[in-house]
Amino acid sequence: GLIDTGINLEHEALKEQAIEVVPRPASHADVSLQDHGTAVAALLVGRPDSQTPGLLPQAKIVAVDAFYRDGGTADRTDVTSLVDAIEALAKRGVRVMNMSLSGPANAMLQQAIEAAQAKGIVIIAAAGHNGAGGAPSYPAAYPGVVAVTAVDQELKVYRRATQGAFVDLSAPGV
């Protein structure tokens, strides 16, 4: 399962890959841009013969766009959209959910994460971009969530990558 922004299914790396897009859980006037979701999907399941070969090109993704434009320049989400996305993917029977997003702690989000974990779902989340001395970000810092920090193409830690005891591993993220 992938909770992110929208995905451009016509992107060269994603054409004919096994990606199911679940309808948006919340209705916001302005849909998100597709840049981030497309990049994460390509990192995961990009065609091996593309410029962006994925780490798991044979895997199937069930994706939910939990983001929206707020009239400004950035894609945003809220706890209701994230919880709805988690529940939508759980209903689809996904066993692993990736959330390449981070923010402050939120009790409602923590409850949704715990409910998914109680069903045996593995949650993977971005550690954040708060730098080496930055505070932990959520949902990555919740117990049982696999927290992933970013490395670049040379496998060097990204200069803005959050680091700390809650981080479990590193992966491509620049």
Side-chain angles (χ1 to χ4, degrees):
L2 177 62
I3 299 172
D4 212 295
T5 66
I7 298 173
N8 175 3
L9 298 175
E10 296 303 314
H11 188 280
E12 179 253 336
L14 300 177
K15 284 184 181 176
E16 299 179 20
Q17 293 302 90
I19 301 173
E20 173 189 354
V21 178
V22 176
R24 294 171 49 82
S27 60
H28 292 282
D30 297 326
V31 298
S32 69
L33 296 179
Q34 297 179 336
D35 298 347
H36 194 270
T38 300
V40 173
L43 280 171
L44 292 172
V45 300
R47 286 193 355 254
D49 62 340
S50 72
Q51 289 184 341
T52 315
L55 298 169
L56 305 163
Q58 301 305 315
K60 176 183 178 183
I61 288 181
V62 180
V64 177
D65 179 359
F67 285 76
Y68 55 90
R69 305 291 285 182
D70 68 350
T73 59
D75 290 318
R76 302 203 179 281
T77 191
D78 54 57
V79 70
T80 303
S81 297
L82 292 174
V83 169
D84 287 348
I86 291 168
E87 291 174 351
L89 291 177
K91 286 179 186 172
R92 290 264 202 252
V94 302
R95 305 306 302 155
V96 177
M97 289 184 201
N98 181 78
M99 302 173 75
S100 294
L101 55 94
S102 65
N106 180 287
M108 199 161 96
L109 179 59
Q110 185 173 5
Q111 282 184 318
I113 296 283
E114 289 170 352
Q117 290 170 326
K119 294 176 182 176
I121 299 170
V122 175
I123 307 290
I124 301 168
H129 296 307
N130 299 325
S137 292
Y138 298 86
Y142 290 131
V145 173
V146 179
V148 182
T149 197
V151 294
D152 62 21
Q153 291 176 325
E154 296 173 3
L155 301 180
K156 293 180 182 173
V157 177
Y158 175 49
R159 65 179 173 78
R160 291 181 47 208
T162 301
Q163 300 171 44
F166 77 102
V167 176
D168 296 298
L169 56 98
S170 59
V174 178

